[in-house]
Amino acid sequence: MRIITMTITLLTLLVSNVLAKDHVLFVLTTADKQELQNGKVRNTGFFLNEFYVPYKDIVDVGHEVSFATINAKVAPVDPESLKLDYWVDGNLVNEAFEFTKTDTKFNNPKSLKNALHDFEKYDAIVIPGGQGVMVDLFENDTVTSLIQRFALAKKPIGLICHSPALLVNVAKLGNNPLKGFDVTSVSIFEELYIENFIMDGKAKHRMIRFQLDDHGYNAHSALPKMSHVEKDRFLVTNQNPFSTEEFSEVFLSTLQEYSTNQLD
């Protein structure tokens, strides 16, 4: 069913892109280490399938993609995300990992400050998850300002798994254009599972679902490992790596809506 639905979506978007080609900015973490509350240090990065599945779907329908990171550093892959358990199509794992090693554009990202300066060039933003997001991007003022700019312009925003946590700092800026939006993120139960069975310790920034509620969002969660995506106007969020395919479909549809409105 996923293949049939995605095929229909891609065909629809291929037709629409004869008229419109959008420029999507992917923002990625550059943190490759994460210090936990117990002092343990573990390897981290961005979650590979949360990046590559939407990236591949976006470029396959003809959109342009650029990459941005803090200080234009190359983004590291979270080794946990290479496990087949997180992938619907296991054949993509090697393809995706090879892409991160060989793609020229990926390995020469813009800085976040440059991306903010060139904001008008971009039609949409996607920020994949991974624990690395909670290490560097969660405390970064530039990415907060970047999300706020996209929100004020009502341009499509896609936040995956841990990256909806970045909305907390957007709310702290005041006059939040996303206040009251329906969102999702990694759930409390999933965070507890990750901390106890994968990380062996608590992250310094955690309880994302509760933080979103406390900062004026309507946060929702599904059962662990269930595919769950929330779309509220131009904002698309998802809960976990198992939601990536659904996220990709919904985000492409949101991007199409934006393109159509720009042509009207």
Side-chain angles (χ1 to χ4, degrees), residues 144 148 152 167-179:
T144 303
Q148 183 191 51
L152 288 169
L167 295 172
V168 170
N169 293 321
V170 176
K172 291 178 181 179
L173 293 177
N175 298 317
N176 183 11
L178 300 171
K179 182 178 180 180

Side-chain angles (χ1 to χ4, degrees), residues 2 14 19 76 102 106 113-116 121 245 257 264:
R2 144 76 181 165
L14 280 168
L19 299 176
T102 60
F106 178 88
K113 290 183 178 179
N114 180 278
L116 182 60
K121 293 181 179 179
E245 282 71 22
E257 291 171 6
D264 288 344

Side-chain angles (χ1 to χ4, degrees), residues 22-26 58 63-66 122 124-126 251 255:
D22 293 315
H23 193 169
V24 180
L25 178 68
F26 272 76
I58 286 168
H63 295 306
E64 182 180 358
V65 166
S66 288
Y122 306 113
I125 185 172
V126 175
F251 186 79
L255 191 56

Side-chain angles (χ1 to χ4, degrees), residues 7-260:
T7 300
I8 294 171
T9 302
L10 290 174
L11 287 173
T12 302
L13 290 167
L14 280 168
V15 172
S16 69
N17 274 299
V18 171
L19 299 176
K21 178 181 178 182
D22 293 315
H23 193 169
V24 180
L25 178 68
F26 272 76
V27 171
L28 296 163
T29 176
T30 58
D32 61 358
K33 301 291 181 184
Q34 178 186 31
E35 184 177 354
L36 305 178
Q37 290 185 23
N38 60 12
K40 178 181 177 180
V41 177
R42 61 184 295 274
N43 294 327
T44 189
F46 69 90
F47 237 63
L48 187 57
N49 76 320
E50 295 176 358
F51 156 68
Y52 193 69
V53 171
Y55 165 81
K56 183 174 172 57
D57 287 343
I58 286 168
V59 298
D60 280 354
V61 297
H63 295 306
E64 182 180 358
V65 166
S66 288
F67 304 102
T69 63
I70 296 174
N71 297 325
K73 291 175 60 180
V74 178
V77 174
D78 188 325
E80 176 70 18
S81 68
L82 298 175
K83 295 179 179 178
L84 289 176
D85 292 348
Y86 298 107
W87 295 77
V88 170
D89 183 356
N91 294 322
L92 282 180
V93 181
N94 290 335
E95 177 185 320
F97 189 67
E98 183 67 13
F99 173 90
T100 67
K101 297 301 180 184
T102 60
D103 185 80
T104 301
K105 204 169 184 179
F106 178 88
N107 284 285
N108 291 276
K110 304 173 184 295
S111 70
L112 283 180
K113 290 183 178 179
N114 180 278
L116 182 60
H117 179 269
D118 293 340
F119 163 77
E120 297 296 341
K121 293 181 179 179
Y122 306 113
D123 301 292
I125 185 172
V126 175
I127 307 181
Q131 288 288 340
V133 169
M134 307 306 292
V135 177
D136 59 354
L137 292 180
F138 188 74
E139 299 179 342
N140 184 270
D141 292 338
T142 305
V143 77
T144 303
S145 297
L146 195 57
I147 295 171
Q148 183 191 51
R149 289 286 301 276
F150 275 91
L152 288 169
K154 296 181 171 59
K155 294 182 176 182
I157 300 169
L159 303 175
I160 302 173
C161 194
H162 281 79
S163 65
L166 303 177
L167 295 172
V168 170
N169 293 321
V170 176
K172 291 178 181 179
L173 293 177
N175 298 317
N176 183 11
L178 300 171
K179 182 178 180 180
F181 274 49
D182 289 310
V183 299
T184 188
S185 69
V186 58
S187 71
I188 300 301
F189 288 116
E190 287 166 330
E191 282 194 81
L192 292 174
Y193 179 88
I194 293 166
E195 290 175 348
N196 284 282
F197 297 103
I198 296 176
M199 301 197 318
D200 192 26
K202 295 179 181 178
K204 290 187 174 181
H205 299 296
R206 57 198 296 271
M207 301 291 108
I208 296 169
R209 161 70 193 277
F210 291 159
Q211 291 194 57
L212 290 168
D213 278 329
D214 291 344
H215 286 85
Y217 301 97
N218 294 320
H220 309 276
S221 296
L223 293 172
K225 291 190 174 183
M226 294 288 289
S227 180
H228 179 209
V229 173
E230 292 285 339
K231 177 185 183 301
D232 193 334
R233 286 154 279 187
F234 51 87
L235 175 64
V236 183
T237 54
N238 90 340
Q239 180 172 320
N240 52 39
F242 310 100
S243 313
T244 305
E245 282 71 22
E246 184 182 356
F247 168 86
S248 189
E249 292 174 14
V250 175
F251 186 79
L252 279 173
S253 177
T254 304
L255 191 56
Q256 183 185 8
E257 291 171 6
Y258 171 79
S259 300
T260 302

